[in-house]
Amino acid sequence: MNMPHAWRDWIHNIVFPMSRLLEKPNVAMPIKTSNGQLTTTAIASASPLATSSNNSTTGNITEINETSKQDYEQPAPANTKAATNLDAVLISLTAGAAAGALAKTTIAPLDRTKINFQINKNVRYSFRAAVEFLKYTYTKEGILALWRGNSATMARIVPYAAIQFTAHEQWRKILHVDKDGTDTKVKRFLAGSLAGITSQSLTYPLDLARARMAVTDKYTGYKTLRQVFVKIWIEEGPHTLYRGYWATVLGVIPYAGTSFFTYETLKREYTEMTGNTKLNTLVSLGFGAAAGAVGQTSSYPLDIVRRRMQTMGVTKDGHSKYPTILATLTTIYKEEGIKNGFYKGLSMNWIKGPIAVGISFSTYDLIKEFLRELLHLKRGRSDLTDSPK
């Protein structure tokens, strides 16, 4: 049932402050006695002030009220604030890791299919060709082969998603995004972009390893994540672990920026229109899907470039064709054109991208809210246990 705005304002501005005042134990209240003198009583019998006042019916009301005021206005200890910030970071890390793992595992077969078309310029992409690739992989290697490279994906996506969501929360605080009800669109986009850069920079070698495993089979390619790193280190050099990094960073700026911007903006508009601050799961999935579609489309050409550069060690003539971002862009444009080159496999991304981002954002919000409530209940029980009898 929708509550009228006047009633909501009355409850928010009158009832809540009064209820908080009633909960304060050390507020001294002056009352008059029969002889006209002022005396004081304390609300909470556990207060040291109340104990001392039981021996005398008169006192200096000004001194007591000042003491009570100081107790009431005393800020929370620094260690309590630090613990609260640490709790927020741990909650974001946990929720982000779980959200990323669930989203990527769900779309892993589609992700492998997309990468296969991205790096093979001689294979023309179509929906039918994508289905044929999935059927061929299943027939030749079995159902689990559709999730080949998912272990590398999990090794990357768990820290990546955890860092990205946590970094986004922290960048929002640093940049004062939408603080005090203001509508800061540029800062909202910037916070998302910086979160993407932060997480991508810290986990990039794992992304490269995942791509290598996704484009090889279990018979002729890399069998384990450890083998990927060992072979690259020995055969191609440690610098190869960051090949394609700058293309990835250039791509993550519009991708993460527009994804977080779109999702946060839709949530803001929804709250202003409906008055509901909490999104239900279906609405959150829909907003996440829209954010994923916008983000994937805005950064897709650079995604093609980074995949070519990441996997050129396992593709024919790779070393001579894709040494730099500019050379990769030029080669793709000359040999494949814009549509069949820079946007090859985009329709697959329009399927998997919204699904993955929708699941990721909605799961993150759901788990974060659950962990916050769990922590609140735990603190409440701890306060009850520690309170004097």
Side-chain angles (χ1 to χ4, degrees):
M1 182 176 66
N2 292 329
M3 186 180 294
H5 291 290
W7 283 102
R8 282 209 305 266
D9 293 341
W10 182 79
I11 291 174
H12 180 75
N13 295 325
I14 304 298
V15 177
F16 284 179
M18 289 182 65
S19 66
R20 285 195 290 269
L21 283 173
L22 291 174
E23 291 173 358
K24 292 296 175 182
N26 293 330
V27 178
M29 298 181 65
I31 58 175
K32 280 190 176 182
T33 61
S34 57
N35 59 2
Q37 290 181 311
L38 287 175
T39 64
T40 59
T41 60
I43 294 175
S45 60
S47 169
L49 185 62
T51 304
S52 63
S53 65
N54 286 336
N55 299 325
S56 176
T57 58
T58 62
N60 190 332
I61 183 61
T62 303
E63 181 181 350
I64 294 175
N65 280 339
E66 287 298 322
T67 303
S68 301
K69 183 178 180 182
Q70 290 174 4
D71 291 339
Y72 182 79
E73 294 179 349
Q74 185 177 7
N79 59 347
T80 303
K81 186 177 291 186
T84 302
N85 292 336
L86 179 61
D87 289 338
V89 170
L90 291 176
I91 287 173
S92 294
L93 286 171
T94 304
L102 179 61
K104 278 294 184 181
T105 301
T106 303
I107 55 96
L110 299 177
D111 215 17
R112 184 180 179 190
T113 304
K114 182 206 75 171
I115 294 174
N116 181 71
F117 282 103
Q118 282 184 329
I119 68 161
N120 291 312
K121 69 183 184 65
N122 296 323
V123 180
R124 189 175 182 84
Y125 174 80
S126 67
F127 181 77
R128 183 176 179 180
V131 173
E132 289 296 325
F133 173 79
L134 291 170
K135 288 173 61 178
Y136 174 79
T137 303
Y138 167 73
T139 303
K140 184 182 178 183
E141 303 179 57
I143 185 68
L144 293 179
L146 296 175
W147 276 266
R148 175 172 170 75
N150 197 51
S151 59
T153 300
M154 290 300 101
R156 169 190 172 261
I157 200 62
V158 168
Y160 176 85
I163 293 170
Q164 185 182 47
F165 280 110
T166 305
H168 182 249
E169 298 279 356
Q170 298 305 311
W171 281 117
R172 281 179 60 88
K173 292 179 181 178
I174 293 171
L175 297 173
H176 303 295
V177 177
D178 297 339
K179 188 177 181 180
D180 300 326
T182 57
D183 189 4
T184 54
K185 293 183 174 65
V186 175
K187 289 183 178 181
R188 207 179 303 153
F189 175 87
L190 188 59
S193 296
L194 290 171
I197 293 172
T198 303
S199 55
Q200 193 67 257
S201 298
L202 294 175
T203 62
Y204 186 77
L206 292 167
D207 184 39
L208 183 139
R210 192 266 301 215
R212 290 288 182 97
M213 290 190 73
V215 299
T216 58
D217 59 51
K218 63 181 180 181
Y219 305 110
T220 60
Y222 306 97
K223 295 181 180 180
T224 63
L225 184 61
R226 178 177 176 274
Q227 191 181 62
V228 177
F229 288 113
V230 171
K231 289 187 70 174
I232 290 176
W233 188 281
I234 295 173
E235 297 176 4
E236 303 175 53
H239 64 279
T240 303
L241 294 173
Y242 276 88
R243 180 182 289 158
Y245 169 77
W246 290 110
T248 302
V249 169
L250 290 174
V252 83
I253 290 173
Y255 172 71
T258 55
S259 294
F260 278 107
F261 172 82
T262 303
Y263 185 69
E264 294 295 327
T265 301
L266 289 173
K267 283 174 61 177
R268 181 187 176 92
E269 295 297 325
Y270 176 83
T271 300
E272 290 180 355
M273 290 177 62
T274 64
N276 297 326
T277 56
K278 292 183 179 180
L279 277 66
N280 64 53
T281 305
L282 288 178
V283 173
S284 182
L285 277 170
F287 289 170
V294 174
Q296 294 279 358
T297 304
S298 65
S299 64
Y300 196 77
L302 285 167
D303 193 41
I304 292 279
V305 171
R306 75 165 175 144
R307 291 305 183 198
R308 295 286 178 93
M309 294 183 71
Q310 284 178 339
T311 59
M312 69 184 184
V314 295
T315 55
K316 189 176 181 181
D317 298 328
H319 286 287
S320 61
K321 285 193 173 182
Y322 310 123
T324 64
I325 297 174
L326 183 60
T328 305
L329 287 167
T330 304
T331 302
I332 293 173
Y333 176 73
K334 288 180 178 179
E335 296 184 357
E336 303 166 65
I338 295 177
K339 181 181 178 181
N340 295 326
F342 295 124
Y343 290 94
K344 188 177 187 179
L346 178 60
S347 59
M348 177 65 73
N349 248 33
W350 281 341
I351 297 173
K352 80 172 194 66
I355 294 173
V357 178
I359 292 174
S360 182
F361 277 132
S362 60
T363 303
Y364 174 75
D365 283 347
L366 195 65
I367 295 177
K368 184 176 71 171
E369 189 63 29
F370 170 75
L371 291 176
R372 281 178 174 174
E373 291 179 1
L374 197 65
L375 183 64
H376 179 72
L377 289 174
K378 184 179 178 181
R379 281 178 175 168
R381 290 172 183 170
S382 177
D383 291 343
L384 288 174
T385 305
D386 297 338
S387 60
K389 300 293 187 291

